[in-house]
Amino acid sequence: MKNICFLQLNKLKNSKNNAQSTLARYFLNNLASVNSMTIDSIAENTSTSYSTVCRFFKGIGFSGVKEFKKTVLSELYTATEENNIFSEDFLSFSEFDSVETVSKRIHDFTVDVIHNGYKAVSKEIIKKIIEYFNNAEHIHFFGLGTSSVSAQYAYIKFFRLKSGCSFNSDIVVSKMTASLLKENDILFLFSSSGRTKSVIEAARIAKEQGAKIITVSDFGNSPLHNVSNINICTTIRDINKHLDSDFPLIQSQIIIIDILHKCIFLKNKNTAEENFDKTVTAVKKDKIINE
């Protein structure tokens, strides 16, 4: 039966059983971040218990959280395909397409990408990243190709919150940096596919040192996700379904960075404002002021 999981959740959200209703509503409101959920985090965010969450999954026909997440991701992917916004043909143009057609379809694509980015950063992810940020002495940002644009943008935003930040788009340098990270430091990786071998190797090197691995990729299930402490997925798509390489979802990565930056800024307001003022003062004379 198509989208059976969503049908069950929508049915249970109005259940007279408070626990069932709470859990169903929680999943429906946090679909974009379902892949990062654990039974413990679900129980914490719904004020239920580990055993209650397990009973909920069994009650709707799943052996556990892994099977549930796999089904949700599959159904979300199916829904996305039906909407056609992330199909391979959506951004395929010909010389006969008008300027209006090209503009409208790219606009619609971008709006949907940004919305996905917004939905991907759940409250629980933000809370965990703030915890990682406050415990880290050093954060290294890394990405290759187009992803290096997002990594550098993130570095420029975050080093004004914590001076112990670095960025590099050279895989050799980043691997060396990863090997020097300490326990609780952060390796923040950007990879659209989540399948680039050298990026995954850098993550594994850092993890061996006890560092936390935060990744942003376009897929909820990938080899990079498997070595991450937190993987933020910009869309819900199957790992084997790739868009045209000319359209990486950088718009989604940017809004994710902006959301995380602002939330961390507000949680560390005094220090963050002081650092921000210092950096503004340092470059103030470089601005041309109209008289």
Side-chain angles (χ1 to χ4, degrees):
M1 186 176 183
K2 193 174 181 181
N3 289 347
I4 186 170
C5 184
F6 290 164
L7 290 173
Q8 288 174 306
L9 292 176
N10 276 298
K11 182 178 179 180
L12 288 174
K13 71 180 181 181
N14 296 316
S15 171
K16 292 181 180 180
N17 182 308
N18 288 335
Q20 288 185 342
S21 174
T22 298
L23 287 165
R25 290 177 184 276
Y26 174 73
F27 292 127
L28 289 170
N29 290 333
N30 296 277
L31 290 174
S33 59
V34 69
N35 203 46
S36 63
M37 293 179 185
T38 64
I39 294 180
D40 286 329
S41 70
I42 295 166
E44 180 183 354
N45 285 288
T46 57
S47 298
T48 56
S49 66
Y50 189 98
S51 58
T52 299
V53 176
C54 291
R55 283 197 300 271
F56 179 85
F57 288 138
K58 290 187 182 299
I60 59 175
F62 296 101
S63 60
V65 66
K66 288 185 178 180
E67 185 183 1
F68 173 77
K69 291 196 291 187
K70 183 178 179 181
T71 302
V72 169
L73 290 172
S74 175
E75 291 186 2
L76 281 170
Y77 171 66
T78 300
T80 299
E81 281 289 278
E82 289 175 351
N83 290 335
N84 202 38
I85 202 71
F86 287 117
S87 69
E88 293 182 0
D89 295 331
F90 186 78
L91 293 174
S92 296
F93 301 104
S94 74
E95 65 272 25
F96 303 107
D97 287 323
S98 66
V99 170
E100 290 78 13
T101 296
V102 173
S103 300
K104 180 66 166 58
R105 284 166 66 182
I106 291 178
H107 166 271
D108 291 347
F109 173 83
T110 302
V111 169
D112 204 71
V113 164
I114 291 173
H115 181 70
N116 272 271
Y118 157 68
K119 294 291 289 182
V121 192
S122 66
K123 180 181 177 180
E124 60 184 344
I125 287 177
I126 293 172
K127 182 179 178 181
K128 202 68 179 176
I129 290 179
I130 290 174
E131 178 188 328
Y132 286 175
F133 178 88
N134 290 335
N135 290 333
E137 290 185 11
H138 188 90
I139 305 174
H140 183 65
F141 296 90
F142 172 59
L144 293 173
T146 306
S147 293
S148 69
V149 176
S150 298
Q152 185 170 21
Y153 179 75
Y155 162 70
I156 292 171
K157 300 282 286 189
F158 276 78
F159 94 92
R160 301 171 83 174
L161 302 178
K162 185 184 286 286
S163 58
C165 290
S166 60
F167 158 77
N168 208 289
S169 58
D170 185 291
I171 184 57
V172 174
V173 174
S174 288
K175 281 185 180 180
M176 291 191 292
T177 303
S179 72
L180 296 176
L181 293 176
K182 300 176 182 178
E183 186 174 0
N184 293 325
D185 285 344
I186 298 171
L187 180 61
F188 206 131
L189 296 171
F190 293 83
S191 173
S192 288
S193 71
R195 300 185 306 132
T196 304
K197 183 178 178 181
S198 53
V199 175
I200 297 167
E201 288 175 352
R204 286 176 175 157
I205 291 170
K207 200 161 190 177
E208 288 174 359
Q209 312 309 310
K212 303 297 185 184
I213 314 300
I214 301 174
T215 58
V216 177
S217 65
D218 295 344
F219 300 93
N221 182 26
S222 70
L224 183 61
H225 165 259
N226 294 332
V227 295
S228 305
N229 294 96
I230 296 176
N231 178 59
I232 304 174
C233 174
T234 59
T235 64
I236 306 299
R237 287 188 287 146
D238 186 274
I239 184 61
N240 297 313
K241 301 290 184 179
H242 297 283
L243 288 172
D244 190 300
S245 59
D246 287 340
F247 289 91
L249 305 183
I250 190 170
Q251 305 98 327
S252 188
Q253 295 175 3
I254 295 300
I255 193 172
I256 288 168
I257 294 165
D258 286 343
I259 291 171
L260 293 176
H261 172 267
K262 183 57 68 175
C263 289
I264 293 173
F265 179 94
L266 293 172
K267 285 294 183 180
N268 298 271
K269 200 167 188 294
N270 293 335
T271 304
E273 284 185 337
E274 182 181 350
N275 288 348
F276 182 83
D277 290 341
K278 286 180 179 179
T279 58
V280 169
T281 301
V283 297
K284 193 173 183 179
K285 292 182 180 180
D286 293 334
K287 306 292 184 181
I288 296 175
I289 301 174
N290 292 327
E291 297 182 354

